């Protein structure tokens, strides 16, 4: 079977899985030109002036929100990328990233199968979606687009510790597929890489891409008294359910990126086996004795 045939078989299975999860809905991206790793050409020249203008609007909104809310390394790396003027050229940004931490960006049409996603991460390749949301989706999209993937995720890959953690997560994902641990591992990704908070001398800050690319949750997660902000504990995170259609009801707070790397370094298999016998915890529950960080007063004053 040649490379193209192999991709065709895999994508049929992939779309069948997506349909099961989304009432038969398809994916937004164009999957007709993928290779065996679901990689496509970015075709940067095909973006329209209107799409670049929409990117600038999205960027300008978030750029006003991140001071005093995003972690310092995100802000510093975002400036280094210099992507305010339009949809970035992946290859140029990838060259900068590779010099910093040995990571590359690869263009994908949208969501990719779990095994493919983990394989990219395990080999220090970060998949970035090529399509951009429509103007009417300015505040909310169902699937991650290029703004979420690039603006939210790429800047932190310039941090060596976080970059190493994400590679180890990819390796762990490949193992999880073999031992039925994917649902538990997904919770870790959700509550850290997508919706994680980090301590700083000035108060809590955001490092999760889902928050950093959001116009509303970036302030809600820090200033609202409603959500719980709990110190990171690996077992607690993997046991906690999450919601995909609302602001998070619980956020987990790491001390620093070294804690995230160190605490997730051991083999997860014993933890998978332990959690298989325990009831998952709801997304809005504070356990007895847990610390709940208060709303961030510094962010409220911004």
């Amino acid at each position: 079977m040649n490379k193209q045939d192999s991709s065709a078989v895999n994508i049929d299975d992939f779309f069948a899985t997506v349909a099961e999860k989304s009432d038969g809905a398809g994916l937004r991206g164009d999957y007709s030109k993928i290779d065996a790793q679901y990689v496509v050409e970015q075709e940067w020249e095909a973006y329209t002036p209107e799409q670049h203008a929409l990117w600038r609007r999205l960027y300008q909104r978030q750029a006003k929100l991140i001071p005093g809310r995003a972690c310092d390394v995100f802000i510093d790396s975002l400036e280094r990328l210099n992507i305010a003027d339009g949809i970035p050229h992946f290859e140029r940004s990838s060259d900068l990233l590779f010099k910093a931490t040995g990571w590359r960006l690869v263009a994908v049409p949208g969501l990719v199968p779990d095994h493919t996603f983990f394989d990219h991460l395990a080999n220090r390749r970060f998949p970035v979606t090529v399509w951009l949301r429509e103007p009417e989706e300015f505040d909310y999209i169902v699937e991650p687009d290029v703004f979420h993937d690039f603006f939210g995720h790429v800047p932190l890959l310039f941090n060596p510790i976080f970059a190493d953690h994400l590679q180890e997560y990819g390796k762990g994902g490949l193992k999880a597929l073999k031992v039925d641990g994917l649902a538990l591992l997904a919770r870790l990704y959700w509550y850290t890489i997508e919706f994680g908070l980090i301590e700083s001398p000035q108060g809590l800050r955001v490092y999760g891409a889902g928050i950093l690319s959001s116009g509303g949750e970036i302030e809600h997660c820090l200033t609202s008294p409603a959500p719980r902000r709990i110190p990171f504990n690996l077992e607690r995170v993997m046991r906690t359910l999450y919601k995909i259609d609302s602001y998070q009801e619980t956020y987990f707070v790491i001390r620093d990126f070294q804690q995230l790397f160190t605490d997730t370094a051991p083999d997860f298999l014993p933890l998978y086996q332990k959690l298989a016998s325990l009831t998952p915890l709801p997304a809005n529950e504070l356990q007895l004795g847990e610390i709940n960080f208060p709303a961030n007063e510094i962010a409220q004053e911004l």
Side-chain angles (χ1 to χ4, degrees), residues 81-137:
L81 282 164
N82 191 25
I83 54 171
D85 292 337
I87 299 170
H89 195 293
F90 294 177
E91 186 174 350
R92 295 171 188 169
S93 299
S94 190
D95 288 343
L96 290 174
L97 183 58
F98 186 79
K99 291 177 182 178
T101 59
W103 275 75
R104 289 279 187 193
L105 305 180
V106 292
V108 294
L111 297 174
V112 300
D114 294 325
H115 184 278
T116 303
F117 180 68
F118 294 137
D119 183 69
H120 280 307
L121 298 187
N123 289 282
R124 298 179 89 86
R125 300 186 302 262
F126 191 79
V128 180
T129 298
V130 295
W131 59 266
L132 180 67
R133 69 192 71 185
E134 297 295 329
E136 59 269 23
E137 300 172 300

Side-chain angles (χ1 to χ4, degrees), residues 146 160 302:
V146 61
L302 294 175

